[in-house]
Amino acid sequence: MRQVGVVRRIDDLGRVAIPKEIRRILGFQEGDPVEIFVDSENKEVTLKPYKIVDYRKLWEELKRDSSLKVKMMELEEEYKNKYL
């Protein structure tokens, strides 16, 4: 795994710019949703691309291919745990 470290300052609104090289490595594009996780014990912040699941599209694929049923059940459980 390639390590990239950069120092950035927090601006007066509490924002930190993600350098272009890091955005490229992570595949972030302008306007992409990003999940922010905080590990307060280790004082670390993790950024991950936020994946929006299109359940209608997934359901249509499921109807065509029953092997996707397991994936659908996993996503349903993830959704329940996260939002319900």
Side-chain angles (χ1 to χ4, degrees), residues 36-47:
I36 303 170
F37 298 91
V38 177
D39 178 347
S40 57
E41 187 176 307
N42 295 315
K43 306 238 185 274
E44 294 178 344
V45 175
T46 302
L47 303 176

Side-chain angles (χ1 to χ4, degrees), residues 14-71:
R15 299 175 297 196
V16 177
I18 303 170
K20 185 176 184 177
E21 174 69 6
I22 293 175
R23 292 192 317 261
R24 186 187 61 75
I25 291 168
L26 296 176
F28 290 166
Q29 301 291 320
E30 182 178 333
D32 283 353
V34 176
E35 283 187 286
I36 303 170
F37 298 91
V38 177
D39 178 347
S40 57
E41 187 176 307
N42 295 315
K43 306 238 185 274
E44 294 178 344
V45 175
T46 302
L47 303 176
K48 292 185 179 183
Y50 180 72
K51 294 180 177 44
I52 299 171
V53 177
D54 184 346
Y55 283 100
R56 283 176 279 176
K57 180 180 176 186
L58 191 58
W59 182 250
E60 292 302 318
E61 290 175 13
L62 177 61
K63 287 194 276 185
R64 287 192 300 274
D65 183 354
S66 62
S67 67
L68 292 173
K69 187 172 186 175
V70 172
K71 182 65 175 172

